[in-house]
Amino acid sequence: MAKIADIIKYEGDNSTFIWKHPCEDFNALTQLIVHESQEAVFFMNGEALDVFRAGRYTLETQNIPKIGKYLNRATGDETPFHCEVYFINQTVQMDLKWGTDSKVRYLEAEYGIPLDIGASGSLNLKVSDGLKLLIKLVGTMNGIAWGESGANFTKSLQNSFRPMISTAVKSNLTAAIKENGINILEVDEHLDELSATLKAKIEPGFAEYGLTVPNFYLTTVVLPEEDPNFKRIRELHTIALQTKMAAAEAQVRTAQAQAQAQIAAAQRVAELEKQTTQTEVAKRAAERQIIAAQAEAEATRQAGFAEAQVMQAQGITKKDYVQAEVQKAYAEGIGNMGSGGGGSAGGSTMSDILGLGVGLQAAQAMSGQIGGIFGGMTGNQPNNTAAPGVKCAKCGADLPVNAKFCLICGEKVAAASADTVVCPKCGAATPKGKFCIACGAPLSNKCPKCGADVPAGGKFCLECGEKI
C-alpha cells in the first residue's frame, strides 16, 4: 500500500505557473497548506471539487462538502482516497522573452522600397483564472511553465503562444509604423507607442486561457543592415537630413539678422529721443534765461519809477534839479576863476571862462538825464539837448552810456562790442565810424586841441574845455 501523505504543499519553482502535487492518495486527516500568492484546486475522480486560497486546511467533509458523496469517514480508521491537487502560482512572471519566427515584409512609405524586418522583446504574464488555464491548456499534465525546461513539463506556455505572438506582431507592427508616420530609421524612438499597440492586439489571446499580460515590451526591431535597398534608404535619409539642417541654419541666420536690425532700429529711436530731450532741455534753459532777463529789466524799471516817485513826493521837480545843477556848475566855475596861478591876466581870464563853460555843460548833461526820469513819470519826452548817452531803440528815451535796459519801457539796450559803438541818437549798435548806419547821426566830434571825442551836439570839449 502506498504511503499516504500527511501534508500537501507547493514544492515547485517560482518560474512555474501550474504545478501538480505528485501524491494522489490522501485521508481525512491530511493537511493542505496554501501560501500567499498561491491557490490550490482539489480534483477527485477528474472533477474539480473546490479551490483553496491561502491558509491551512484539513481534507475532511466539513471543508470539502462535495467529498461527502464520495467518501464515508470511518471512526478510528484511516480511510484513504484517491484525488489530485494542483497548485497555481499567482505571482507575475516577468521578463519572459518572445520573438518573431521569421521576417516580415515592410514597404517603406516615403520611397516605396521593400524591406524585411523582424522583432523581439519580452512580456510579463500572470494567471488570472487558474481553473480555466487548467481545463483549457494543462489538462492532465504535471504542470506548465513559460519555458520548456520548467519541471520537465511536456508543454510550455512559450511554445503554446509563440504562433499567436508572432502572427499578431507581424500583422500589426508594420501597420502601426505606417499609421504613426514613423521613419523606419527612427523606429527605436517610438518603441513605447508600438509596444502599447501590440499589447492591445495580443492580450485577448492570452485572456482566453485565463492569463493576463500586465506589460508587453517591443525592445528590438531587426533591420536589414546588409540589404542594398536599406543602405540606399540610409543615404537618402542622410541627404534629406542635411538639407533640413541647412534650411534650419538659414532660418537661424535670418532670424539673427532680423533681431540685429530691430536692435539697431531701437537704438536709433533711443538716440533720436535722447537728442530731442537734449534740445528740449536747452530750449527750456534759454526760456528761463529770457524770463530772468525780463524780470531783471522789470525790476530795474520799477526801481527807477520808485525813486522818481519818492523824489516827486518830496517836492523835487525837474526844474529844481536843473537849477541846482546849473548853480553848482556856476559856483564851481566862479570858484575856479582867478586860480590859474602866476600866469598872465588874459590867460587866467580865458581859463576861468572855459571852466565856467565846462561846468555849465556838465549841468546841462545832468539835467537831461534827470529830465528823462521825470519825463517817464509825466509822459513828456526827454530834452533833445541831453548829455552824451544812448537812445532807447523802442521808445526813443535818452539813456546813460552804460545803461543795459531802458528806464522808461524796460527794453534791453543793444550793447556795443569791441568793433561797434552805440549811437547816441537812436541807441542802435553800429560799427565804429563817424556816422550811425541806422539813423545817420554823427557818432562823435574830435577836440581840435586834445583830440578827445566830444559827443554829438557838444560845444566844448569835456577834457580840456576847448570850444568846438
Side-chain angles (χ1 to χ4, degrees):
M1 183 176 179
K3 183 179 183 297
I4 300 175
D6 295 328
I7 296 177
I8 300 174
K9 63 182 180 179
Y10 179 75
E11 296 176 355
D13 55 39
N14 196 45
S15 64
T16 301
F17 283 84
I18 295 179
W19 179 77
K20 179 183 178 182
H21 196 280
C23 183
E24 299 178 353
D25 295 326
F26 306 99
N27 60 28
L29 300 179
T30 301
Q31 300 292 308
L32 173 64
I33 299 175
V34 181
H35 295 287
E36 292 289 347
S37 71
Q38 294 177 357
E39 63 181 15
V41 180
F42 189 89
F43 280 84
M44 178 173 282
N45 297 332
E47 180 183 359
L49 298 183
D50 208 345
V51 177
F52 294 88
R53 311 299 179 191
R56 185 184 185 97
Y57 304 92
T58 300
L59 299 181
E60 56 185 357
T61 57
Q62 288 85 352
N63 292 327
I64 313 174
K66 292 183 180 180
I67 290 181
K69 65 180 181 178
Y70 297 107
L71 177 66
N72 292 321
R73 181 176 181 183
T75 305
D77 296 328
E78 294 182 356
T79 303
F81 55 92
H82 182 78
C83 61
E84 298 171 329
V85 177
Y86 286 87
F87 286 90
I88 300 171
N89 187 355
Q90 293 290 332
T91 61
V92 177
Q93 302 296 306
M94 304 181 68
D95 196 26
L96 305 177
K97 305 298 182 182
W98 64 266
T100 56
D101 55 357
S102 62
K103 298 293 182 68
V104 58
R105 178 56 58 93
Y106 169 71
L107 190 62
E108 201 277 331
E110 185 173 358
Y111 305 107
I113 300 176
L115 300 172
D116 292 331
I117 62 176
S120 62
S122 64
L123 58 86
N124 297 338
L125 200 61
K126 181 180 184 298
V127 177
S128 59
D129 190 335
L131 190 57
K132 182 185 289 189
L133 180 61
L134 267 171
I135 295 173
K136 298 192 70 171
L137 192 61
V138 178
T140 59
M141 295 187 305
N142 292 332
I144 195 168
W146 177 254
E148 297 178 355
S149 61
N152 297 317
F153 298 143
T154 58
K155 184 186 292 186
S156 70
L157 290 176
Q158 185 179 36
N159 292 335
S160 300
F161 287 99
R162 177 177 292 161
M164 184 198 74
I165 295 174
S166 181
T167 301
V169 171
K170 289 179 180 181
S171 301
N172 296 281
L173 177 59
T174 57
I177 293 174
K178 292 179 180 179
E179 289 175 1
N180 291 280
I182 299 172
N183 189 310
I184 191 64
L185 299 177
E186 300 172 353
V187 69
D188 289 344
E189 300 176 9
H190 303 274
L191 293 179
D192 284 345
E193 53 192 282
L194 293 176
S195 297
T197 300
L198 294 176
K199 178 179 181 293
K201 299 295 182 180
I202 290 172
E203 216 168 13
F206 283 97
E208 185 179 349
Y209 291 88
L211 295 167
T212 183
V213 183
N215 305 97
F216 184 88
Y217 303 102
L218 171 64
T219 57
T220 305
V221 175
V222 183
L223 301 176
E225 299 291 346
E226 301 302 324
D227 189 341
N229 289 336
F230 185 73
K231 292 180 179 179
R232 179 59 178 163
I233 291 176
R234 279 195 181 278
E235 293 174 358
L236 294 173
H237 179 72
T238 301
I239 294 173
L241 182 60
Q242 291 173 347
T243 302
K244 291 180 180 179
M245 291 178 61
E249 291 174 355
Q251 291 179 352
V252 170
R253 288 193 295 269
T254 301
Q256 290 175 343
Q258 292 176 350
Q260 291 175 353
Q262 292 175 354
I263 292 173
Q267 290 175 343
R268 287 195 297 269
V269 170
E271 184 63 25
L272 289 175
E273 291 179 352
K274 179 180 178 181
Q275 293 176 358
T276 301
T277 302
Q278 292 175 346
T279 303
E280 291 296 327
V281 170
K283 182 178 178 181
R284 297 293 180 268
E287 290 176 352
R288 288 194 295 270
Q289 291 178 355
I290 293 172
I291 292 172
Q294 291 176 347
E296 182 181 356
E298 180 64 19
T300 303
R301 188 171 72 89
Q302 293 296 335
F305 274 117
E307 184 179 357
Q309 288 175 352
V310 170
M311 290 186 294
Q312 189 176 19
Q314 293 176 348
I316 302 173
T317 64
K318 174 182 177 182
K319 182 178 179 181
D320 295 333
Y321 267 101
V322 173
Q323 290 179 351
E325 292 299 327
V326 171
Q327 290 175 1
K328 179 180 177 182
Y330 180 77
E332 289 178 351
I334 294 298
N336 291 330
M337 293 180 64
S339 60
S344 63
S348 177
T349 301
M350 180 57 68
S351 298
D352 293 339
I353 293 173
L354 291 176
L356 179 60
V358 171
L360 290 174
Q361 183 70 17
Q364 183 182 9
M366 183 61 70
S367 65
Q369 294 179 11
I370 298 172
I373 296 176
F374 282 95
M377 293 290 294
T378 60
N380 296 329
Q381 294 298 324
N383 195 334
N384 291 332
T385 61
V390 296
K391 284 186 176 293
C392 175
K394 183 175 182 181
C395 66
D398 289 323
L399 305 173
V401 176
N402 61 347
K404 294 183 179 180
F405 295 91
C406 179
L407 297 177
I408 304 303
C409 64
E411 182 71 12
K412 186 174 181 180
V413 177
S417 65
D419 298 328
T420 61
V421 295
V422 178
C423 177
K425 183 178 181 180
C426 67
T430 181
K432 290 182 178 180
K434 295 183 178 181
F435 298 94
C436 176
I437 63 172
C439 64
L443 297 178
S444 64
N445 295 322
K446 292 288 185 179
C447 175
K449 181 177 180 181
C450 66
D453 289 330
V454 179
K459 296 181 178 181
F460 294 91
C461 176
L462 296 178
E463 299 292 332
C464 65
E466 182 72 17
K467 184 176 182 181
I468 304 302

